[in-house]
Structures are given as C-alpha cells and as structure tokens.
Amino acid sequence: MPAQRRLLGSLNSTPTATPQLRLATNQTDPQCLLVSVPDGLFLGLGLVSFVENMLVVVAIAKNRNLHSPMYCFICCLALSDLLVSTSSVLETAIFLLLEVGALATPAAVVQQLDNVMDVLTCGSMVSSLCFLGAIAVDRYISIFYALRYHSIVTLPRARWAIVAIWAASILSSTLFITYYNHAAVLLCLVTFFLAMLALMAALYIHMLARACQHAQGIAQLHKMQRPVHQGFCLKGAVTLTTLLGVFFLCWGPFFLHLTLLVLCPQHPACSCVFKNFNLFLALIICNSIVDPLIYAFRSRELCLTLKEVLLCSW
C-alpha cells in the first residue's frame, strides 16, 4: 500500500525522517540536520492541546460574565487551536491504522478524507492567526480609546468579525489545498503571516510605550524612585518579547518552508529544510498549547470558572 499524505503532506515531497536526531548525507545533498517527530509525540501534543483548549471554550461558554467581545475572540482562538489539535490527532490515528492494516479503506476514500483533514487543519491555522490579530486590535482599542471602547467594540460587531474570519479561513484554506502547487498561493499565505506579525508587533510595541509613559507619569506624580518605573518597563518588555517570540518561533518555520518551496524547491540546502516538515507542524501544535497560557489562563475570573467546571465534573 502506498504511503498516504499526512497533515498538509502535499507540501512535503521529501522522505520521512528517521525517528532520531542525526546528520544525513548523500551524494548531492549537504549535511542535513533531521529532527523526526514520532507519531506518539504528535498524538500526545494533540491531546494536551485538545484538553486545554476545550477547557477554555467550556469555561467561557459557562460564565455569562465572560460573554464580552474580548473573551469571544479568546474563545474563537481556543476553538481554532482545538481544531488544529483535533485534526492532528485524527489524521495521525488514521495514518497509523492504515499503516498496520487495521483500517481497510479504498484509496479514493482515503484521498478525500485526507483533503478534508488538510482543509480543516489549514483553515484552523489561518483562523488562529486571524484571532491572534483580532485580540491584539481589541487590546489596542481598549488602551488608546478607553472611553469609547464599548461603543467601538460592540458584541454585534465582534460577532460579525468572527463570522467573517471563519468564512475567510474556510475559503482560503480550500483554495490553498486545491492550488497548493501554485507559487502565488504560497506567497499569499507567507505575506499574510508577515502582515499579521507586523500588525501584532506594531500594536503591542505601541501599547508598551504608552504603558511606560503612564508609569513614568505616575512615578513623577508620587515622586517614586526611578528603578520602579524601569522595572515596570522591563517586565513589560519581557512579556512582549515572550508573546512575539513564541508566535514567531512556532509559526515562522512553517512559513519559511512555504517560502523556500517558491524560491528554491530543488536546491539541496532547501531540501534539508523540507525534510523537517513534521517538526514545523509540531511547533504549530505547541503554539496551540501555549496560547491558552498567554491569553486565557491569566484571567482570574476565567480561572475561577474553570475551577468550578473541574470541581463539578468530579
């Protein structure tokens, strides 16, 4: 039975890496550092992400005080990450069942199922990026337009934005999977990622600058010591670096892969990057695990609601 594609495998035409970290050489390729991701690790990461984001969705749905635009965006981000982990677990499980012969399915059915999984995975990735951007915009408006925030970011507007993001994600992912071998489609995705990264960086850096100015004003008003103000800005800079660093580290390699597919699909050095495709996907799943820690679990009310949910389930 021929090997089946796995998790956007249409983008990865290189051989699967062996289950270890090693240097691979052949007659044409330079030394390649291959990092294989075992199927068990894929399943484990997917399950952790699934449970974590499911708890976020349930907690926000249960507490009516959390039915605000900001928490709606956080809930949709958790739902997007939930879909990423679900599609990862399902596709890995199906692949393993097919590999051992425990699942007898015609090749045409497997191909259609794989296409559906790819659309689901790609769509959830695009929506996850969009909701990260929406959360950044929401926080920016809450700081720079605090008095008008509730008239600008209303629940109906947030719902329309959510519907638009999901619709655009489904459409773009369908086009992406259908025309994945067209350079223009890949470049559009890379441009989208860079635009989202630039948007988040610009908004959060501006918010940090405003917070530091505010802290400096309070320090001068109360004649506080300078190290207190510097400590606040340093803490904010560390938080900002962590937020953007995690985003770039988890998503950057995947979009580097797409960029190299356009720029140097046959170059030996680029082929070394292609061979680590599964590692890039694992990093995206890791991002689905980290997102709730950054955006959801820092909310005291959400954590209290989550505690109630867990206590009631026992």
Side-chain angles (χ1 to χ4, degrees):
M1 180 178 62
Q4 305 298 333
R5 292 195 297 123
R6 288 190 53 201
L7 202 60
L8 299 177
S10 54
L11 296 177
N12 183 31
S13 58
T14 58
T16 304
T18 56
Q20 57 183 343
L21 176 63
R22 65 182 180 87
L23 289 174
T25 59
N26 56 35
Q27 294 180 349
T28 58
D29 290 348
Q31 286 190 330
C32 295
L33 182 64
L34 303 182
V35 183
S36 178
V37 181
D39 292 320
L41 181 58
F42 251 114
L43 288 172
L45 291 174
L47 289 174
V48 171
S49 174
F50 178 86
V51 172
E52 198 177 25
N53 286 285
M54 178 61 76
L55 289 174
V56 174
V57 173
V58 171
I60 293 177
K62 185 180 187 305
N63 190 342
R64 295 187 64 85
N65 292 331
L66 300 178
H67 293 181
S68 63
M70 180 185 70
Y71 283 104
C72 285
F73 291 136
I74 292 176
C75 183
C76 288
L77 173 62
L79 186 58
S80 298
D81 291 338
L82 184 68
L83 291 175
V84 171
S85 58
T86 301
S87 59
S88 169
V89 170
L90 285 177
E91 189 159 10
T92 303
I94 292 173
F95 174 81
L96 291 175
L97 290 174
L98 289 170
E99 195 175 47
V100 299
L103 184 64
T105 307
V109 175
V110 173
Q111 181 65 40
Q112 291 300 320
L113 181 61
D114 185 69
N115 290 335
V116 171
M117 288 293 182
D118 284 350
V119 171
L120 177 62
T121 303
C122 185
S124 55
M125 287 179 181
V126 173
S127 63
S128 182
L129 289 172
C130 288
F131 286 119
L132 286 171
I135 291 171
V137 171
D138 176 79
R139 291 182 175 180
Y140 184 86
I141 295 175
S142 68
I143 291 177
F144 287 89
Y145 303 93
L147 298 179
R148 298 171 51 202
Y149 172 78
H150 292 290
S151 61
I152 297 175
V153 186
T154 62
L155 201 54
R157 287 178 179 175
R159 288 170 177 166
W160 277 111
I162 289 170
V163 170
I165 288 174
W166 282 114
S169 299
I170 295 172
L171 177 61
S172 61
S173 62
T174 303
L175 293 175
F176 172 59
I177 297 302
T178 305
Y179 302 104
Y180 68 88
N181 55 343
H182 288 68
V185 174
L186 300 182
L187 289 176
C188 285
L189 276 175
V190 174
T191 302
F192 168 70
F193 166 74
L194 294 176
M196 199 59 62
L197 177 62
L199 173 67
M200 292 177 61
L203 294 182
Y204 282 119
I205 290 174
H206 197 187
M207 283 186 274
L208 176 61
R210 172 59 68 89
C212 288
Q213 290 177 357
H214 184 66
Q216 184 179 13
I218 294 176
Q220 292 176 351
L221 181 64
H222 295 280
K223 298 181 179 180
M224 298 172 63
Q225 296 180 352
R226 187 175 182 84
V228 176
H229 164 246
Q230 291 178 339
F232 174 84
C233 291
L234 179 61
K235 183 179 179 181
V238 170
T239 302
L240 176 62
T241 302
T242 302
L243 189 151
L244 294 178
V246 168
F247 176 80
F248 185 78
L249 177 64
C250 293
W251 288 97
F254 175 77
F255 286 94
L256 173 64
H257 179 99
L258 299 186
T259 303
L260 295 181
L261 277 177
V262 176
L263 299 179
C264 53
Q266 304 297 330
H267 195 279
C270 295
S271 67
C272 291
V273 178
F274 301 152
K275 291 176 181 178
N276 289 295
F277 183 72
N278 283 344
L279 173 64
F280 306 154
L281 295 175
L283 287 175
I284 292 177
I285 299 174
C286 288
N287 183 79
S288 300
I289 297 175
V290 175
D291 278 346
L293 301 178
I294 296 177
Y295 297 98
F297 294 150
R298 298 175 68 180
S299 168
R300 179 176 176 81
E301 186 165 6
L302 191 147
C303 287
L304 291 175
T305 304
L306 185 59
K307 185 178 179 179
E308 292 176 5
V309 171
L310 293 175
L311 289 176
C312 291
S313 62
W314 287 94

